[in-house]
């Protein structure tokens, strides 16, 4: 058997015949411990459409829970100090001017501005408790794609539902459940959240308050996973509501007819306000 000889131990006089060159064994590589990277926590954007809510916006913003990373205030050309009060209350707030007219246009503007993984919408009039935002975030983190607030679940309710609004909402909920085979308990309520990755598939086009119904119907037709969470609707703190039960109810019925009947989808045409166009030009 041939022995291994380390060449460094041989002298010039020593024979090298029959010897096999000695090779130092490669150093053993230390295995790096693979640390499991912790998943990045989802970020949350709160979208708040506001029109002349100077006396209400502070109450809302002061109660936003810490799970919210970004607040987007969509101003509908307020003539009071809504924007100023919002910035005084939350210096980190993102303020943008809505494109188009109506609550639907305001929300769509806010959704396009939002950068969070989850988007939650809330009204600026103090009729919704900001602390409930955590319900929506928790449900989204559990895998749901769209989360709707409901005033008709256990531990929920409303201090502001008039007889006309209650009857209209019940009729609309029944119509949607019958036509789409759903089991919604509430429909016309503007407290909701969704994953931003689904914004394009939701394809929101509504101009007014009917956007809340449009989001629910499109979530169903797209096959998204939907949840309802209990919510208590409060009384508006100050001022008059911009909601018109008859007008907005009729707009919702028209929306349902367009969505259900074999009609061509209406193209999105926003009616832009001159004030928004002037502010854009002057900012350049």
């Amino acid at each position: 058997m041939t022995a291994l000889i380390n060449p460094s131990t041989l002298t010039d006089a020593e024979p090298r015949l029959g010897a096999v060159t000695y090779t130092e064994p490669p150093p053993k590589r230390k295995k790096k411990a693979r640390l499991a990277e912790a998943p990045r926590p989802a970020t949350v954007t709160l979208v708040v459409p506001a029109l002349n809510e100077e006396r209400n916006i502070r109450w809302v913003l002061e109660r936003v829970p810490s799970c919210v990373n970004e607040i987007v205030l969509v101003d509908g050309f307020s003539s009071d100090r809504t924007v100023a009060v919002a910035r005084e209350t939350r210096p980190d707030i993102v303020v943008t001017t809505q494109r188009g007219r109506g609550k639907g246009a305001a929300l769509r503007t806010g959704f396009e501005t939002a950068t969070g993984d989850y988007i939650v919408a809330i009204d600026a009039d103090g009729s919704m408790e900001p602390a409930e935002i955590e319900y929506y975030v928790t449900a989204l983190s559990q895998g749901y794609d769209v989360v709707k607030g409901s005033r008709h679940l256990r531990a929920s309710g409303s201090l502001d539902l008039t007889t006309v609004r209650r009857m209209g909402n019940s009729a609309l909920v029944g119509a949607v459940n019958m036509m789409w085979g759903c089991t919604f308990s509430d429909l016309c309520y503007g407290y909701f959240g969704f994953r931003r990755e689904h914004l394009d598939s939701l394809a929101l086009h509504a101009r007014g308050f009917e956007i809340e119904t449009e989001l629910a119907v499109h979530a169903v037709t797209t096959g998204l996973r939907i949840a309802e969470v209990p919510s208590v609707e409060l009384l508006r703190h100050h001022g008059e509501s911009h909601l018109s039960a008859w007008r907005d109810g009729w707009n919702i019925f028209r929306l349902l007819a367009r969505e259900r009947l074999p009609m061509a989808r209406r193209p999105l045409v926003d009616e832009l306000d001159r004030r928004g166009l002037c502010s854009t030009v002057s900012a350049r």
Side-chain angles (χ1 to χ4, degrees):
M1 184 171 116
T2 305
L4 293 178
I5 302 174
N6 189 339
S8 60
T9 61
L10 297 177
T11 63
D12 293 337
E14 290 177 318
R16 297 173 180 263
L17 295 177
V20 178
T21 305
Y22 176 84
T23 305
E24 291 286 348
K28 295 183 179 180
R29 294 183 179 180
K30 296 181 179 180
K31 295 183 179 179
K32 296 182 179 180
R34 295 183 178 179
L35 300 178
E37 295 183 1
R40 179 182 65 84
T43 55
V44 181
T45 295
L46 180 66
V47 174
V48 189
L51 173 60
N52 295 330
E53 299 290 357
E54 174 186 354
R55 296 196 292 170
N56 298 318
I57 193 64
R58 187 184 301 277
W59 184 91
V60 175
L61 296 181
E62 286 179 342
R63 286 162 175 75
V64 173
S66 59
C67 63
V68 174
N69 306 98
E70 176 184 58
I71 303 177
V72 176
L73 177 75
V74 186
D75 180 46
F77 304 102
S78 299
S79 57
D80 62 3
R81 297 185 66 252
T82 297
V83 174
V85 173
R87 284 176 169 153
E88 291 170 4
T89 308
R90 291 291 300 252
D92 60 335
I93 198 168
V94 178
V95 178
T96 184
T97 303
Q98 79 173 62
R99 297 187 297 275
R101 299 175 56 186
K103 183 180 181 181
L107 285 172
R108 287 189 281 106
T109 302
F111 298 159
E112 294 170 6
T113 306
T115 62
D117 300 311
Y118 303 157
I119 298 177
V120 179
I122 191 174
D123 288 349
D125 58 5
S127 63
M128 301 168 181
E129 173 55 62
E132 293 180 358
I133 294 172
E134 295 183 348
Y135 298 160
Y136 299 83
V137 174
T138 300
L140 291 170
S141 66
Q142 290 176 347
Y144 289 98
D145 301 308
V146 174
V147 182
K148 296 174 65 282
S150 174
R151 298 161 291 183
H152 302 290
L153 296 177
R154 185 178 179 181
S156 63
S158 175
L159 304 177
D160 195 38
L161 268 180
T162 63
T163 302
V164 173
R165 289 181 61 202
R166 188 182 300 275
M167 293 176 59
N169 188 57
S170 297
L172 291 169
V173 171
V176 170
N177 287 343
M178 179 180 65
M179 291 189 291
W180 277 274
C182 308
T183 57
F184 289 131
S185 64
D186 203 348
L187 191 66
C188 308
Y189 191 44
Y191 211 165
F192 58 83
F194 61 92
R195 293 173 177 265
R196 186 166 62 92
E197 64 192 78
H198 298 307
L199 180 58
D200 290 340
S201 61
L202 286 171
L204 301 175
H205 289 72
R207 295 180 179 178
F209 285 85
E210 66 272 16
I211 192 172
E212 300 151 4
T213 302
E214 182 183 46
L215 180 138
V217 170
H218 286 189
V220 171
T221 57
T222 308
L224 299 181
R225 192 179 179 199
I226 308 169
E228 289 186 322
V229 296
S231 179
V232 177
E233 183 181 28
L234 308 174
L235 291 171
R236 179 185 176 91
H237 285 206
H238 302 281
E240 298 294 329
S241 174
H242 304 298
L243 174 69
S244 172
W246 294 106
R247 179 198 63 204
D248 295 315
W250 173 243
N251 288 337
I252 293 173
F253 271 115
R254 291 172 58 192
L255 169 73
L256 296 181
R258 289 196 305 268
E259 293 291 336
R260 195 56 180 169
L261 297 177
M263 302 169 59
R265 183 177 294 276
R266 186 178 63 176
L268 174 60
V269 180
D270 277 330
E271 299 176 2
L272 302 184
D273 193 289
R274 178 179 296 180
R275 290 168 294 182
L277 298 174
C278 292
S279 60
T280 302
V281 173
S282 61
R284 293 181 179 177

